[in-house]
Each structure stands twice: as structure tokens, then as C-alpha cells.
Amino acid sequence: MKLQEIKNINISGKRVFIRCDFNVPMDEYNNITDDRRIRSALNTIRYCIDNDCSIILASHFGRPKNGFEEKFSLKPVAKRLHTLLKQEIKMAPSIVCDQTIAMAKELKAGEILLLENMRFEAGETKNDEELSAKLASMADIYINDAFGVSHRAHASVEGISKHFDIEHKAAGFLLAKEIKFFHHIVHNPKRPFVSIVGGSKVSGKLEALYNLVPKVDKVVIGGGMAFTFLKALGHEIGNSLVEDDLIPEALKIMEEAKNLGVKFYLPVDVVAAEAFDKEAIAKLVPVQEIPKDWMGLDIGPASALLFSEVLEDANTILWNGPMGVYEMDKFAKGSTKISHAVASSYATTVVGGGDTADLVRITGDEDEMTFISTGGGASLELIEGKVLPGVKALVIEE
Ligand code: AMP
């Protein structure tokens, strides 16, 4: 697969639309708590500035439901870009109104216009034709540098790209780097290859997990994910996070692992709490003894030890999703231990997903990882061997 890359097309003096992934974690006061995704986009943005381009930046942020909502505004991102780039960042009032289009047309060389949250437009996630065409009309060149959403066929990711020929669209530096790295992992993984999957989005990850099983040697499940599997095996899981309708799928995955000889590990103990609260009373229990109205919010020390042993002979580790509610200190121990175990391994270690990337930064293990990907879902789909919709449009030859 050969990808069209920004360095191979002529962008000099052109109007460039760059789809970035500025979906950064923010606290309750809208302070950005980890700006890695913004910093990761700077190479491409600076390259465009140096080539006298006028630059239109677009991104989504969170999941707004009904048009504009202040808490989903990209204004904090504009401020951070200003701090990092030390230049004015213009902000458009809305995504595709006449005023925005006029602002885009008036941009001079080196100037930057940031559009508001793409998901304020209902057409974004529907890959709407009209929205795609309007976005495309703002620029001469389309650059996709949003690895984290490239597995989504959305208007600013996929629809827009159809309006540019292959000499006028390309992958930015970040997207190209991520794709090359995962291509290497898919085709040449050093074995044993262990995948650790955690976090809370069970529905989003189960299909990926099913497709991942044939590619790896061992699967470790932690976090909220684990309870759907534990319930499928007949355990009482109390009020823990669960997706009942996915229990058959969970059973299918475990069956597939068994058939293929892939080792499958679930937590053996958990930290259970009376409520989803950092002050809640909590206790350590084996998975067989989760009290009825309690919920498992972290893996226990026996599981952390078991998982660390599982990682000992690994030569490739792919980690996606925390082992517990790491945002609350009380339930962060399991994730911290696994972070240290992954970091101290001699394997090629790949961390995917915003939360897991955030976690390894907090635990101080960031520099010990081989590669920290900006995309969670996208990286899982790449490992499965899928061609992402946002990438397919930029492929020169298969
Ligand atoms: P994801 O985006 O799927 O990687 O999920 C990350 C989120 O999963 C984090 O915000 C964690 O707090 C949450 N999480 C991890 N373990 C649990 C659990 N046992 N119960 C509820 N949420 C969890």
C-alpha cells in the first residue's frame, strides 16, 4: 500500500484544509489536561506555514448532540495552538456559513483559521454530501492528519477527500507515521505478540477484539471490558459495567481463542466499590465474590501479578484501554502496575488510545514505550488489517 504523503505534493502558496484530531482530554473547567494530540499536529501545520500556505484547521471534539454547545467548543484548542505556534489563530463563527467561507478565502500566506467542532454539524458523522462539498470548496488541497478518526467515514475525513484528485490530497506527517508503524506491526510482529485490552467501550472494541484474536498469541482483558466476559462465564458481577447484549459475542471471542490456541486472560480479583465515586468504600475481592450491589472499578493485585507474568516473554505488546478507573487514585493501582510492567518489558510496546496515552504520561512511563499512538479505535482496526476509510482515499496504489 502506497500512501500519498504531504511531502510529495505541491502545496506551495496554496489554501490547505487540514483535518486534525484535536479531541483532547479536558477537565471540568475546560482546561486541556493533555495536549499531545495538538502537539502531534504541529509538524504538518508548520510545514504548511513554511510553504506559504493559508491554513484551515478542522477537528471534532467530544460528542455534542444538538449543534453548538460551549463545553464542546474548540476555543481552548485555539488558545493552545496560539501558545504553541506563537501566532494568531482566527476562529470561524460556525463551520460552513458564508462568513466562514469568506474568512477562508481571505486568509493570507501563513495565516491560520480554526473551524469550530465539526460535530456541531449533524452532517459530519453522516458523511453528508453537501457538507463535504462545502468544506472542500474552502481549499485547494486536502490533508488528513487525524489518525484517531480515520476509521470513521465522516464528512471531514472521507466525504471531503472525494473532491480532490491524488495530486491535491495527502496524508499529513502524523497520519503517515502512524500508518507506517502499524503496517510494520501487522506484517512483521515479533512473537509472542500480546494484546492488552481494557477501558469501558465494550461495544466499540468487541468486533476489533474478535478480529485481533487470530493475529496475536495472548489476549489480556481488564477494565470495564472484563465484566461482560466474566458475566458470560457465569460470575456475579454486581453493578459493574456490562453490556448484556454482547455476552454472546464475548463467548464467541473466548471460543475462537480456544480454537486457535490463543491464551486468554481475565482478571482473577478486582477492587469493588459501593458506588462510582472516589470516596466510595472499596474492598479487594476475588472475581467469584463481587457483592451484589457493588461494582468492580479496578483489577486487583493478583490480576496485576498474573498479567505481568503473561507479559514476561512478550516481544510485541499492544495496549489499548486502562485496567480500571485510573482517573480516581483509589482505582488507579492496577493500571499503574500494568503500565510499569509494559514499560519495563523488552518488547516493542505500542500504546493506543487517548486514555491509555494519558495514563502512561501520569505513571511516568511515557518515554519507555516504543510508540504511543494518537488513535485507539483506529489502531485496533489497522492491526486487524482493515484499510481505514480516511486512509483509503489517500492510497496511490494497493
Ligand atoms: P476507553 O475509552 O474505552 O479506553 O475507556 C476508558 C475509560 O474506561 C476510562 O475513563 C476509565 O475510567 C474507564 N474504565 C476503566 N475500567 C472501568 C471499570 N471497571 N468500570 C468503569 N469504567 C472503567
Side-chain angles (χ1 to χ4, degrees):
M1 187 181 85
K2 193 164 176 338
L3 200 62
Q4 181 65 288
E5 293 181 42
I6 187 168
K7 62 182 193 311
N8 296 329
I9 61 170
N10 177 16
I11 62 163
S12 183
K14 302 264 172 54
R15 237 169 326 128
V16 180
F17 184 109
I18 312 176
R19 177 50 158 107
C20 301
D21 179 4
F22 294 145
N23 190 26
V24 287
M26 288 194 200
D27 66 17
E28 67 260 46
Y29 308 108
N30 271 30
N31 293 312
I32 297 169
T33 53
D34 179 6
D35 66 0
R36 181 195 331 261
R37 284 181 171 180
I38 302 178
R39 284 185 283 115
S40 307
L42 296 182
N43 276 350
T44 299
I45 298 172
R46 287 202 174 107
Y47 181 77
C48 291
I49 296 172
D50 291 348
N51 277 280
D52 298 321
C53 300
S54 38
I55 301 158
I56 301 147
L57 301 177
S59 176
H60 71 291
F61 172 59
R63 292 168 190 258
K65 296 260 167 356
N66 259 329
F68 183 85
E69 270 180 82
E70 190 64 37
K71 69 172 177 173
F72 291 116
S73 167
L74 283 179
K75 282 177 203 147
V77 172
K79 268 197 190 160
R80 186 60 57 98
L81 278 168
H82 168 71
T83 309
L84 294 167
L85 290 167
K86 300 185 182 60
Q87 73 172 72
E88 185 200 358
I89 308 294
K90 296 178 196 289
M91 261 212 98
S94 143
I95 297 167
V96 284
C97 64
D98 291 346
Q99 203 183 337
T100 309
I101 293 174
M103 282 175 88
K105 292 252 145 71
E106 282 159 18
L107 284 176
K108 298 192 185 68
E111 287 188 337
I112 298 178
L113 171 69
L114 173 64
L115 304 186
E116 254 301 357
N117 188 343
M118 279 292 131
R119 292 195 186 160
F120 288 158
E121 286 284 338
E124 165 68 356
T125 52
K126 297 190 182 108
N127 207 11
D128 181 68
E129 284 277 337
E130 203 184 323
L131 176 62
S132 305
K134 277 188 182 160
L135 294 174
S137 74
M138 289 189 211
D140 311 312
I141 304 274
Y142 172 70
I143 301 295
N144 182 357
D145 215 16
F147 177 68
V149 279
S150 286
H151 58 314
R152 308 265 185 231
H154 290 173
S156 65
V157 179
E158 203 257 353
I160 185 174
S161 68
K162 295 188 184 133
H163 297 268
F164 299 86
D165 64 36
I166 199 71
E167 295 306 321
H168 293 86
K169 61 183 171 184
F173 293 110
L174 173 66
L175 181 69
K177 186 171 131 197
E178 298 253 13
I179 299 291
K180 278 182 198 161
F181 189 85
F182 281 104
H183 193 75
H184 178 73
I185 291 267
V186 172
H187 295 285
N188 294 307
K190 301 269 180 303
R191 294 183 181 278
F193 182 0
V194 185
S195 176
I196 311 171
V197 187
S200 58
K201 288 185 214 113
V202 185
S203 46
K205 287 180 189 164
L206 276 201
E207 202 206 329
L209 196 54
Y210 185 73
N211 293 322
L212 201 61
V213 167
K215 305 236 183 307
V216 299
D217 302 292
K218 308 184 195 185
V219 176
V220 172
I221 306 280
M225 289 273 295
F227 297 98
T228 300
F229 289 89
L230 290 169
K231 186 164 182 185
L233 292 175
H235 290 289
E236 163 68 57
I237 56 155
N239 285 338
S240 305
L241 194 79
V242 69
E243 293 201 31
D244 283 313
D245 51 333
L246 294 175
I247 285 179
E249 187 75 13
L251 284 169
K252 208 168 102 188
I253 290 171
M254 289 188 278
E255 190 60 32
E256 178 76 351
K258 198 166 117 194
N259 291 340
L260 294 170
V262 172
K263 308 281 186 292
F264 199 89
Y265 301 90
L266 287 168
V268 290
D269 60 344
V270 297
V271 179
E274 278 187 318
F276 191 88
D277 189 322
K278 63 179 192 300
E279 308 293 344
I281 293 175
K283 64 177 177 182
L284 183 63
V285 288
V287 289
Q288 291 80 354
E289 297 177 31
I290 300 173
K292 237 185 178 348
D293 297 325
W294 291 46
M295 55 183 77
L297 295 179
D298 193 10
I299 59 167
S303 309
L305 189 64
L306 170 73
F307 294 172
S308 302
E309 273 177 29
V310 170
L311 296 178
E312 237 152 58
D313 67 343
N315 275 315
T316 306
I317 301 172
L318 173 72
W319 182 17
N320 186 307
M323 297 290 100
V325 184
Y326 75 97
E327 298 93 333
M328 302 181 196
D329 286 349
K330 210 173 201 166
F331 311 112
K333 286 200 175 84
S335 299
T336 305
K337 286 180 184 164
I338 297 307
S339 172
H340 293 339
V342 173
S344 59
S345 153
Y346 292 100
T348 299
T349 51
V350 187
V351 175
D355 280 309
T356 324
D358 185 34
L359 170 68
V360 299
R361 188 179 53 85
I362 295 169
T363 58
D365 291 324
E366 190 174 24
D367 293 342
E368 301 298 321
M369 305 298 178
T370 313
F371 189 73
I372 299 181
S373 170
T374 51
S379 61
L380 280 179
E381 290 198 14
L382 268 190
I383 294 277
E384 289 169 43
K386 287 188 184 165
V387 180
L388 313 182
V391 173
K392 197 168 183 188
L394 310 175
V395 171
I396 303 174
E397 58 198 55
E398 289 290 329

